[in-house]
Amino acid sequence: MKLFSGKELPSYHRISSQTGANVRRLLYLFHTSTAREKRIFLLLLLVAIISGITFISRMYRRVTVPVPAVGGVYIEGSIRPPQTINPVYAAVNDTDRDLTKLIFSQLIRYDGAGYIIPDLLERYEASADQKTYTAFLRKNAQWHDGIIVNADDVIFTITTIQDSRFKSPLRPNWQGVLVEKIDDYTVKFVLPAPYTPFVENLAIGIIPKHLWEGVMPEQMLLHELNLKPIGSGPYRFDDLEQEKDGVIRSFVLKRNGDYYRTGPYIRKIKVLFFKDEETLLHAWKRGDIDGFGPAPESARGDLGGGISTIHTLHMPRIFGLFMNQKALTAFADPEVRKAIDIAIDRKRIVEVVTKGGATPTRMPFPLPSFRNRQLASASSSEVTFFAEPERAKSLLHDAGWMDNDGDGTFEKTSGKSKNATTTKLRFIITTSDWPDLGAAAEEIRKQLRNIGIDAAIESLPIAELESKVIRPRKYEMLLFGQVYGYEPDPFAFWHSSQVKDPGLNVALYTNTGADKILDAIRKTTDSDEQTRQYQSLIASIKNDTPAIFLFTQQYLYFLPAAMKGVNLSYIALPSDRFNLIDQWYLKTRRVFK
C-alpha cells in the first residue's frame, strides 16, 4: 500500500493526462497533414461512425420488437349521415350501426373470422335444453362518464327493446325471452323454446340505465344522447359539425383511455359525410379521407402509390330472384321456374355487379365455410354456374310454351276454339334502385330474352320497395337479397309461417317437409345432425325451385396502407368491420423482447 505524498498523481489523473496528450497529438497531426490525408482521415472517421451506428441499430432491433403505440388520426368517408346512434335503434342505417359499434360495448362480439369472443361478458353458459343462458359480466367496464357497467344496464337495455312503445327494430329478436338479474354482474335469459342461434342475440350494444331510465318512449328517438352518445366502448364522442339545415357534416371520436381492454391505439377517428358515392371517391383521391366502404370494384385500379390497402370481406348475404306464383300463373309451372334457373349465366351477372364484388352461387344459403361446417359441407358439391339456354328452351317447349306468332316471346294457349286463351311469358322484375342491382336486373332481362321470355324492370327506392312491394307481397319476380347472420337460421326465409309480413319468406315457399326440417334445425345442437338437416332442406328447395339464387355479396373496404392490426375476412354486417377496432394502430414503439 502506498501513501499519497502529493508529488505523485493518482492513476485516473495519469490516464486522463495521457488521453489528453494523445488527442493533442492527433489534432497536431491533423493540422500538419496534407489535404489528401485530411480527406482520408475524415472519410475513415465517417465510416467508423456509420458502422458504429449501424451496429448499435442492428443490435437494438435484434433485442427489441415493435408493438402498437397510441397515436395517429384516421379519417373515414361515409355517404349517409347518422340519425340515431343508439343500439336500441341502430338496425337500419349503416352509419348509425358503424358509430354505435365504436361507442358502445356488446355482450359478445365476433372476431374477423366470425368466431365468438366475449366483450362485456367474461363468459356465458347454456343449459342442456338450450332454453337458459347465464351471462357473467366483467367487473372492470365503465361508462364514458365513469359509472360502472352492471347487470341493471343489461336488463334495462333488453326490456326497453322488448317494450313495444319504444318501437325498436330489434324487438322480434327478444320477444318471449325472460331476463332475470342474479346479482350485480350475472344475468339469466330464459327462452320459451330451444333456439340454437340465440347466442347471436347477445351481440347487442348495451345502453346506460342511469342516463336513459327517465326518458319516455315518445322522447327517446329525439333525445340529445342519440347524437352525443355515452357508451362503454373503445371510442367516445368528441365533437360533431352540422350544416345550417342540421345535417351532420362530420363526427369526431377520441380514444377511451379507460377502456377495459388493451387499446384502443388510434388517438382519434373522424368521419366525414358526403352527398353521394362520386363525391366520396373524389375526396378519397384528393386525400381528404383515408378509407371508406363499401368500395366499388372499379376503385381497385385507383390504388396506385401504395397509399391504400383493400380488404375483401365475405358476407352471409345471398341475392336471388324470388317468384310469386300467386301473382303470375306461369310461375306455378315448375318447368318455367327450372328453365329460368338454367338459363341464367351467374358469372356474367357477377361481372356487372361491381359495387363491393360478388361470388356466383346456385345455393339457397351463403357459404360461411369459415366456421359453419354444416353449411359448407351441405353446399360443397355446387360448383357449376354456366348457363344452358338451349336446354331451357326445350323445357319450355315440352311444357307447351311456343313462339307461334314469331315475335320472340313464348306463349301458351289453354282451352279450345272460342274458349281458348293465350298467355305470353312476360313479367316484371322488381328490385331496388341500388345501381348494381339495376345492372344485374338488366343483364338478367337480356339473358331471359334469349330463351323467349319478355321481362321488364321496375326499380324503386329501398324504403318504397319494402313498404309498397315486399311487405304486401305485390310483385311478380323480386330481385332482392337475404341477410343471414353468424349463426345461420333459415327459418324466417323459408318456413311457411313466414310467407306474410313481417315474415321474410318472399319466395312464398310452402312445403310441409321443409317446415319440419326448419323446426328441427332450430333445436338441434349436434353438428352432424345439423349437416344432415341442412342437406335435406337444400335438396327440397332445389327440387321445388321457388327462387333462383345468383350471388353472395362481398364488402370491399379501403384502409390506409399504414393501418396495422386489421384482421378481417368475414362479417355479417358492414359495421362488424369495427368489431376489433381496439386492435388497429397507426403508430408503433419498440420494447425489449
Side-chain angles (χ1 to χ4, degrees), residues 83 90 148 298 320 425 508-509 537:
Q83 296 176 332
I148 298 298
S298 58
L425 196 46
L508 308 181
Y509 183 55
L537 180 60

Side-chain angles (χ1 to χ4, degrees), residues 495-496 509-519 540 544:
H495 197 278
S496 62
Y509 183 55
T510 56
N511 182 304
T512 303
D515 284 351
K516 292 179 180 179
I517 298 171
L518 287 160
D519 289 332
S540 177
D544 294 336

Side-chain angles (χ1 to χ4, degrees), residues 537-553:
L537 180 60
I538 288 172
S540 177
I541 294 174
K542 286 176 62 179
N543 181 66
D544 294 336
T545 322
I548 312 299
F549 309 103
L550 303 173
F551 58 89
T552 58
Q553 188 180 11

Side-chain angles (χ1 to χ4, degrees), residues 177-247:
V177 179
L178 298 178
V179 190
E180 179 184 347
K181 177 180 177 180
I182 305 302
D183 58 43
D184 284 346
Y185 297 97
T186 310
V187 179
K188 181 185 292 185
F189 303 101
V190 182
L191 282 59
Y195 178 50
T196 304
F198 171 77
V199 66
E200 189 170 358
N201 287 2
L202 300 181
I204 183 174
I206 302 302
I207 62 175
K209 177 183 178 181
H210 67 281
L211 296 177
W212 284 103
E213 63 179 333
V215 179
M216 301 301 292
E218 62 272 14
Q219 300 171 331
M220 196 162 186
L221 277 169
L222 303 175
H223 202 283
E224 183 183 37
L225 283 173
N226 288 320
L227 290 183
K228 298 180 180 180
I230 292 177
S232 58
Y235 286 88
R236 60 177 69 197
F237 169 76
D238 185 33
D239 194 17
L240 61 82
E241 182 182 354
Q242 292 177 291
E243 302 283 3
K244 292 181 180 180
D245 59 2
V247 175

Side-chain angles (χ1 to χ4, degrees), residues 400-524:
W401 295 91
M402 302 287 181
D403 181 16
N404 294 317
D405 58 9
D407 67 349
T409 301
F410 285 9
E411 64 267 351
K412 187 174 185 179
T413 302
S414 302
K416 295 182 179 180
S417 64
K418 294 181 179 180
N419 296 322
T421 58
T422 300
T423 302
K424 287 283 187 180
L425 196 46
R426 177 180 291 140
F427 51 80
I428 298 174
I429 303 173
T430 306
T431 189
S432 81
D433 59 359
W434 183 41
D436 288 347
L437 282 185
E442 178 59 27
E443 180 60 33
I444 291 167
R445 186 193 67 78
K446 292 178 181 178
Q447 294 182 17
L448 293 179
R449 181 75 265 178
N450 292 334
I451 65 165
I453 295 177
D454 182 19
I457 300 171
E458 180 184 34
S459 298
L460 299 172
I462 186 64
E464 185 177 348
L465 181 69
E466 291 179 347
S467 63
K468 296 182 179 181
V469 175
I470 296 177
R471 288 180 179 175
R473 307 301 197 243
K474 291 184 177 180
Y475 51 84
E476 294 175 339
M477 176 179 279
L478 178 68
L479 172 56
F480 204 61
Q482 294 178 331
V483 181
Y484 288 80
Y486 291 104
E487 313 296 330
D489 180 16
F491 183 94
F493 299 114
W494 297 105
H495 197 278
S496 62
S497 66
Q498 305 298 302
V499 296
K500 293 183 179 180
D501 185 64
L504 300 175
N505 186 349
V506 293
L508 308 181
Y509 183 55
T510 56
N511 182 304
T512 303
D515 284 351
K516 292 179 180 179
I517 298 171
L518 287 160
D519 289 332
I521 287 174
R522 284 189 146 196
K523 300 175 183 179
T524 303

Side-chain angles (χ1 to χ4, degrees), residues 2 18 86 109 114 162 176 202 225 268 275 454 490 545:
K2 292 184 179 180
Q18 292 170 1
N86 184 328
R109 55 182 177 171
Q162 292 175 325
L202 300 181
L225 283 173
K268 185 176 289 188
K275 64 180 181 179
D454 182 19
T545 322

